[in-house]
Amino acid sequence: MQRRHFLKSAVLGSGAILTGIPLLSEAAIPKLKITKIRYYAAPGYNKPLFNQARGIVEIETDGGITGIGEGGSKDMIEQCAQMMIGENPFRIEHIWQNLYRGMFYPPGREKLHAQGALDMALWDLKGKALGVPVYELLGGATRDYVECYATGFRASKATTEEGRAQDCIKAGLRAYRIGPTGGNGSEPFDFYDNAKKTIDFCKRIDAAVGGGGKWAVDLHTRFDTTEGIKICKALESLEPYFVEDIVRSENPDVYKTVRAMTNVPIAVGEQFGDRWDSNTFIEQHLIDYTRFTVPNTGGISEFKKLASMCETHYVGMIPHFTGPLATATLVHVLGSSSPTRCLMELGGGEPERPPYFNEDYVNFKNGKLYLNPEPGLGVKFDPKKATFVLEVTANTKFPHPILKAPDGSIHNW
């Protein structure tokens, strides 16, 4: 009840002078400190990769309020968590900068995944403490729902890919995403042969769904530039929604060549991290859609900045999926941002329903994800249904020097 009263005061604060409602004071904001950070393994998940981990993070405060996040490997979470004990959880950007810059070396993508999970938990905690959904903290809703596209479609009874694609579109999803032929199992991958087969596969899917950008293809960086361009040129007249990962993307300059040689909408970025991983692609208009996601980018704080960068350069956002809590989180971030276009990927064409989250942790209907109005991320976590891994209650014994400006902001040491 107190949080609801606080929320009402906050919402009406702008009209306080006219209505007589008291303005929100600093004293009304809870004074909290981080006391414990726990990490749980997600049971049943058989792909615990550094960049696609689904461990659950809990950040607990001395006020009893807890926030949850998803991602990061055990060692990365443990080291980052040891830098957060005793901190004010409401200073999310300050904590983000400290984690990013506080150990001298800029984080690699594996550490960013852990930082993203912790950042996610801080936003969830803050929303719960203030009694509002995270999208309200990020500026409020900018859209009623987020469109989705499917990679595979579990609900279909069809025995062909064409049939599954048709069922996907009938269910209300915006597009059906396919991959290239070959590349699975022990059979050697023949670039020339699979370029031709992939073109034919795309033509069959396009015909099945009736064109209109209702399908997309991910080339998975399997092809060299020659075959990648060959496929793209053949697909231009079909007008796919996007063609993803045409060639390897470690060297952004290669996409200058790709961009000059094809008119298909290009999507890149599911393997990326923060702004410095992707700014060249966006600022030089080398791509039409970003695929970066949470927690890989470093969390909600960083993703929101990337969304602004995309809006500035008219680049759409179609995030890769990493886990169920990340899916719920993306609805809050995309639902409060204004990129030129946005879609969310759903593996199998529907949200996962892990037993350790509440059944209604996301609002999904007719192929679309709707904003969750519950406080925080709107996700309830049952730790008894997950596997406890570690708990951090003390700061690191090996702190690196921290350099602060006179105004208290963090600088590189």
Side-chain angles (χ1 to χ4, degrees):
M1 290 298 293
Q2 288 179 336
R3 290 180 195 165
R4 292 298 180 188
H5 176 73
F6 171 83
L7 171 60
K8 183 177 179 181
S9 299
V11 171
L12 299 176
S14 60
I17 295 176
L18 296 177
T19 63
I21 296 174
L23 286 170
L24 177 64
S25 67
E26 186 177 348
I29 300 176
K31 299 292 186 182
L32 302 174
K33 285 187 178 182
I34 297 171
T35 55
K36 296 178 183 177
I37 298 178
R38 288 180 289 270
Y39 181 69
Y40 300 82
Y45 183 61
N46 59 6
K47 195 168 64 172
L49 305 178
F50 283 134
N51 288 356
Q52 292 191 27
R54 293 194 185 181
I56 305 300
V57 172
E58 274 190 319
I59 298 180
E60 186 175 313
T61 64
D62 55 357
I65 302 173
T66 300
I68 59 171
E70 179 183 71
S73 61
K74 172 184 176 294
D75 291 344
M76 295 293 180
I77 290 290
E78 185 171 24
Q79 186 172 99
C80 289
Q82 288 173 351
M83 300 173 68
M84 296 172 60
I85 301 300
E87 293 287 336
N88 177 352
F90 279 16
R91 298 187 68 188
I92 299 175
E93 178 67 17
H94 171 81
I95 291 173
W96 195 96
Q97 292 292 334
N98 189 39
L99 293 177
Y100 191 93
R101 306 165 80 175
M103 284 293 184
F104 187 62
Y105 289 98
R109 294 175 184 175
E110 289 78 14
K111 181 179 175 181
L112 272 171
H113 205 271
Q115 186 170 335
L118 292 160
D119 182 85
M120 203 185 298
L122 289 173
W123 281 101
D124 180 53
L125 192 156
K126 190 167 189 174
K128 289 174 180 174
L130 301 181
V132 295
V134 167
Y135 68 82
E136 290 289 3
L137 298 177
L138 298 174
T142 56
R143 45 177 49 88
D144 298 326
Y145 56 80
V146 181
E147 287 190 303
C148 301
Y149 65 100
T151 299
F153 194 61
R154 284 191 295 269
S156 176
K157 300 295 191 295
T159 58
T160 65
E161 199 74 11
E162 292 91 331
R164 286 187 284 272
Q166 290 173 336
D167 289 344
C168 168
I169 301 304
K170 289 176 184 176
L173 287 100
R174 179 63 182 83
Y176 186 75
R177 189 183 76 145
I178 59 174
T181 62
N184 298 307
S186 58
E187 191 74 22
F189 185 76
D190 185 290
F191 298 102
Y192 187 81
D193 185 46
N194 279 293
K196 293 190 295 181
K197 288 181 178 178
T198 296
I199 292 168
D200 180 64
F201 183 30
C202 290
K203 289 179 178 179
R204 299 200 317 267
I205 296 298
D206 180 72
V209 298
K214 297 185 182 71
W215 64 279
V217 60
D218 178 5
L219 300 186
H220 282 296
T221 70
R222 291 180 190 171
F223 297 94
D224 290 333
T225 307
T226 301
E227 286 78 19
I229 294 298
K230 178 181 179 180
I231 294 170
C232 289
K233 295 295 287 183
L235 300 185
E236 286 180 3
S237 62
L238 300 181
E239 299 182 341
Y241 202 103
F242 59 87
V243 180
E244 180 182 349
D245 285 344
I246 299 166
V247 294
R248 291 173 61 181
S249 54
E250 290 93 335
N251 174 14
D253 281 346
V254 73
Y255 270 90
K256 293 179 181 178
T257 301
V258 173
R259 176 80 285 175
M261 297 180 72
T262 181
N263 292 320
V264 296
I266 298 173
V268 170
E270 72 176 67
Q271 301 164 348
F272 289 2
D274 54 37
R275 281 162 286 168
W276 294 272
D277 256 355
S278 52
N279 67 304
T280 298
F281 290 91
I282 297 170
E283 291 167 0
Q284 296 188 19
H285 302 278
L286 304 181
I287 60 176
D288 301 284
Y289 296 101
T290 61
R291 288 279 285 137
F292 43 68
T293 188
V294 291
N296 305 48
T297 53
I300 294 172
S301 299
E302 184 69 359
F303 197 95
K304 189 69 174 177
K305 296 170 186 176
L306 283 160
S308 295
M309 188 187 300
C310 287
E311 181 184 0
T312 304
H313 294 85
Y314 313 108
V315 172
M317 305 184 79
I318 50 173
H320 177 59
F321 71 91
T322 56
L325 184 56
T327 296
T329 300
L330 282 168
V331 182
H332 285 271
V333 187
L334 292 177
S336 60
S337 303
S338 301
T340 175
R341 291 187 189 181
C342 73
L343 293 174
M344 282 180 56
E345 179 184 9
L346 293 177
E350 59 188 11
E352 298 179 44
R353 302 290 180 183
Y356 45 86
F357 291 151
N358 49 306
E359 179 70 18
D360 58 349
Y361 80 101
V362 288
N363 296 331
F364 179 71
K365 56 185 177 181
N366 301 323
K368 302 169 181 63
L369 282 163
Y370 290 78
L371 294 168
N372 189 335
E374 294 299 312
L377 296 173
V379 183
K380 299 177 181 66
F381 171 57
D382 184 354
K384 295 179 181 178
K385 295 181 179 180
T387 305
F388 176 80
V389 176
L390 66 87
E391 180 178 86
V392 175
T393 59
N395 292 116
T396 176
K397 297 178 181 178
F398 309 101
H400 198 280
I402 297 295
L403 182 69
K404 292 184 179 180
D407 62 6
S409 59
I410 293 174
H411 282 232
N412 282 14
W413 182 79

